[in-house]
Amino acid sequence: RDQMAAALSSVLAALCSTAWLPAVQLPHARAASPYRPAPAHAPLPVVMMAKKAKKGKGGGGGGGTAAAEVDEAPAASGGAAEVDLDAVVSDAEERMKKSLSSVQEQLATLRVGRATPDMLDRVLVDYYDTPTPLKQLASVTCPTATQLVVDVYDKSALGDVEKGLMASDIGMTPSNDGSVIRLNVPQLTKDRRVELAKTAKGIGEGGKTALRNVRRDAIDKIKKAVKAAGLSEDASKDKEGAVDKKLKKYEGSLDEAVSAREKEITTL
């Protein structure tokens, strides 16, 4: 028994020796102790920190490897380029529509012998030193088929409106009675009809120039986008062809509008 007690005392003394204290009393030293190896998942926080740092640097998602991100980048860039090309074509068509509408509105202002309010749409009035469309300053009505009545909202501007009407090319003399301005629409002479037909043709030519300018701008944008994205020439040609089709379509509509108005003007 004495021998067993002595052996047990030796074991206890060894367990309580200073060589084991860091592992028992100092938690921060456990990873460095040969008796307490670090757990298998210890490097995980370091990996996560690296990914977070990468995310903060690039501003993109943290998932996936660097190789995967490099492979996906060109695909995303190409898609964005395709969307931009489609947007250029759509924008060009919208601008062509507006150009056609502008021509139609101008053609409507050419009188053909019957009074219509839109005959005065192009008249500008010097209102407080600012060129202002007449339709913003007054209402225009047609009490008869050969007369227009201009009712100015601001009666103090009656004189300015009268001057604007006289300075315009409508071919009518205004009559100001202090309350409203009346315009008698004369019957068109043959010479006047020829002159108006030329005006209609000139409006049409101006509209075609506007359409071609839209086409030129769109083609330039397409070429620059294709070059910047590094796409093939086929992509550029396809979109350029789409723009050319739009131009042909709206030029045809414009020609039809001008021809119809010329016919109305020249028909006695």
Side-chain angles (χ1 to χ4, degrees):
R1 292 182 179 178
D2 294 338
Q3 292 178 354
M4 291 178 64
L8 182 59
S9 298
S10 299
V11 172
L12 292 174
L15 292 173
C16 295
S17 64
T18 57
W20 290 85
L21 287 176
V24 176
Q25 298 180 1
L26 302 176
H28 64 275
R30 289 179 182 177
S33 172
Y35 301 99
R36 296 182 181 273
H41 61 276
L44 182 59
V46 178
V47 175
M48 293 177 66
M49 289 175 63
K51 289 184 177 180
K52 289 181 179 180
K54 184 174 182 180
K55 178 179 179 181
K57 182 178 180 180
T65 62
E69 291 178 0
V70 172
D71 292 341
E72 292 175 2
S77 177
E82 290 294 336
V83 172
D84 289 342
L85 294 181
D86 291 337
V88 170
V89 176
S90 297
D91 179 66
E93 181 174 18
E94 187 63 27
R95 291 174 62 191
M96 289 180 184
K97 284 182 181 179
K98 291 180 179 179
S99 296
L100 176 60
S101 296
S102 176
V103 168
Q104 291 171 334
E105 290 174 0
Q106 292 180 63
L107 291 174
T109 64
L110 301 178
R111 64 187 181 88
V112 293
R114 181 181 178 85
T116 56
D118 52 21
M119 294 172 64
L120 305 182
D121 282 354
R122 289 189 299 161
V123 175
L124 294 177
V125 177
D126 189 11
Y127 186 61
Y128 288 101
D129 297 327
T130 302
T132 307
L134 174 63
K135 58 185 177 181
Q136 294 183 10
L137 302 175
S139 64
V140 181
T141 57
C142 303
T144 68
T146 60
Q147 189 179 74
L148 294 171
V149 175
V150 181
D151 188 2
V152 183
Y153 305 132
D154 180 5
K155 300 305 180 182
S156 65
L158 271 170
D160 295 330
V161 172
E162 184 179 8
K163 291 179 182 178
L165 290 168
M166 294 181 67
S168 68
D169 60 352
I170 59 175
M172 293 178 281
T173 302
S175 175
N176 182 0
D177 64 5
S179 178
V180 296
I181 297 175
R182 301 179 189 277
L183 296 162
N184 292 318
V185 181
Q187 292 297 316
L188 295 178
T189 63
K190 183 177 180 180
D191 291 341
R192 181 57 178 167
R193 290 179 185 277
V194 172
E195 183 181 345
L196 289 175
K198 290 181 179 179
T199 301
K201 187 175 182 180
I203 291 173
E205 290 300 323
K208 284 187 177 181
T209 300
L211 291 175
R212 291 165 186 164
N213 288 340
V214 172
R215 184 257 181 198
R216 181 197 62 202
D217 293 344
I219 296 298
D220 288 344
K221 289 179 181 179
I222 289 172
K223 288 181 177 180
K224 289 179 181 179
V226 168
K227 184 178 180 180
L231 300 178
S232 65
E233 293 184 0
D234 291 339
S236 177
K237 290 180 179 179
D238 289 344
K239 299 304 179 183
E240 289 178 21
V243 173
D244 288 337
K245 288 181 180 178
K246 303 294 184 186
L247 174 64
K248 186 176 181 179
K249 171 185 174 183
Y250 287 98
E251 279 187 334
S253 298
L254 189 148
D255 286 337
E256 291 177 1
V258 172
S259 296
R261 195 56 171 166
E262 284 180 332
K263 186 177 180 179
E264 291 176 354
I265 291 171
T266 56
T267 300
L268 297 176

